[in-house]
Amino acid sequence: MIADFVYDPPLFPFLDVLYEDDDIMVVNKPSGLLSVPGRLKEHHDSILSRIKSSYPDAFAVHRLDMGTSGVLVVGLNKNAVSNLGKQFMGREVKKIYIAIVDGIIEKSGSVSLPLILDINNRPYQKVDFEVGKPALTFYEPLCHDGKTTLVRLFPLTGRSHQLRVHLKEIGHPILGDHLYAPPEIRDASPHLYLHAGCLSFCHPVSGNRMEFCAPPPFDIPSEFMPDNSWFELIPKEIDDPI
């Protein structure tokens, strides 16, 4: 947490549940709520701690940044957690994000820049070609208003702050990004305009492929609302990861 940070997570809804059974819970996480508890007592409130109030054995298998909203799956028992964890490690999970960024992006493209924690400036991540971990993001502009662009994002890897850093590095920081955007872009919105719109994985028990999508907490044209058809748009490099 940055020094002047005050944690004030949204209290309602307690959990926006998209799906629930004996093994998993899928939620639409709001911006401003941690995925897992922080180290300090005042940072305990999170998606995981809220789920644990009903499912004590629940455990996180992936995370979204506090400022990032969107679809998040949590395993509710040891076997489900293990299975889902292997899917994430094996890059079998499909993830699609949307964001509103500063400036105009005209064409689709990709960003391949290795990332690592800046140990002298936590929690910032930085590009480092010597010791950074490979990170690859595909992006597709959907529309623009002359000042900002709505983009669809396909991350091949899942590095910390990957989408935020990659977009900043190509000159298009995300609106509301208090870490990587300059003040005028950071203050252009009340929260980070980055949303995990779609998530697909195999159910840890049945093995059936499951697909979930959720609308973002910021205004976008209705024709660009995340839906299951987006999974057909994932670049081949992500369907057949390196």
Side-chain angles (χ1 to χ4, degrees):
M1 300 293 179
I2 56 180
D4 57 352
F5 173 74
V6 177
Y7 188 40
D8 185 24
L11 301 179
F12 302 100
F14 183 72
L15 288 169
D16 182 4
V17 179
L18 304 176
Y19 177 84
E20 178 182 357
D21 63 21
D22 292 339
D23 301 292
I24 62 172
M25 183 183 293
V26 181
V27 302
N28 183 19
K29 187 187 87 68
S31 177
L33 179 63
L34 290 166
S35 293
V36 299
R39 289 190 296 270
L40 301 179
K41 182 179 179 180
E42 56 265 34
H43 301 155
H44 176 75
D45 191 15
S46 65
I47 287 292
L48 183 59
S49 57
R50 292 182 184 188
I51 293 176
K52 275 182 168 290
S53 65
S54 298
Y55 297 95
D57 293 332
F59 197 82
V61 294
H62 70 128
R63 305 181 186 186
L64 298 176
D65 291 346
M66 183 187 70
T68 304
S69 56
V71 185
L72 185 76
V73 60
V74 173
L76 302 182
N77 55 62
K78 183 177 180 180
N79 290 336
V81 169
S82 176
N83 182 283
L84 290 170
K86 291 176 181 177
Q87 291 187 54
F88 276 94
M89 289 291 292
R91 295 179 181 170
E92 300 168 19
V93 177
K94 298 180 180 180
K95 300 171 284 184
I96 309 172
Y97 291 70
I98 54 173
I100 299 179
V101 303
D102 181 62
I104 308 305
I105 299 178
E106 298 285 358
K107 298 180 180 180
S108 299
S110 64
V111 185
S112 180
L113 293 171
L115 302 175
I116 193 170
L117 174 68
D118 186 346
I119 58 173
N120 296 317
N121 197 19
R122 297 172 182 266
Y124 290 85
Q125 308 293 314
K126 65 179 181 179
V127 175
D128 191 314
F129 290 95
E130 294 184 358
V131 296
K133 296 180 179 179
L136 177 59
T137 300
F138 294 85
Y139 61 88
E140 175 190 2
L142 300 177
C143 64
H144 67 79
D145 63 5
K147 295 181 179 180
T148 63
T149 304
L150 175 67
V151 293
R152 183 160 45 203
L153 303 164
F154 306 94
L156 174 58
T157 48
R159 309 303 179 199
S160 294
H161 300 177
Q162 174 177 320
L163 299 177
R164 299 164 72 173
V165 176
H166 276 178
L167 287 164
K168 184 263 293 187
E169 288 293 326
I170 63 171
H172 298 284
I174 301 174
L175 300 189
D177 192 339
H178 70 284
L179 291 179
Y180 300 103
E184 65 275 14
I185 299 171
R186 178 195 66 203
D187 299 336
S189 63
H191 57 79
L192 181 68
Y193 276 24
L194 176 62
H195 179 73
C198 297
L199 183 72
S200 176
F201 55 89
C202 291
H203 190 277
V205 175
S206 71
N208 294 331
R209 172 62 65 171
M210 307 186 78
E211 298 177 345
F212 298 95
C213 296
F218 43 87
D219 292 333
I220 64 171
S222 59
E223 61 265 34
F224 299 125
M225 282 292 177
D227 63 43
N228 288 16
S229 68
W230 284 22
F231 291 109
E232 300 173 7
L233 306 175
I234 295 177
K236 189 178 186 302
E237 292 89 342
I238 296 179
D239 279 333
D240 299 313
I242 56 177

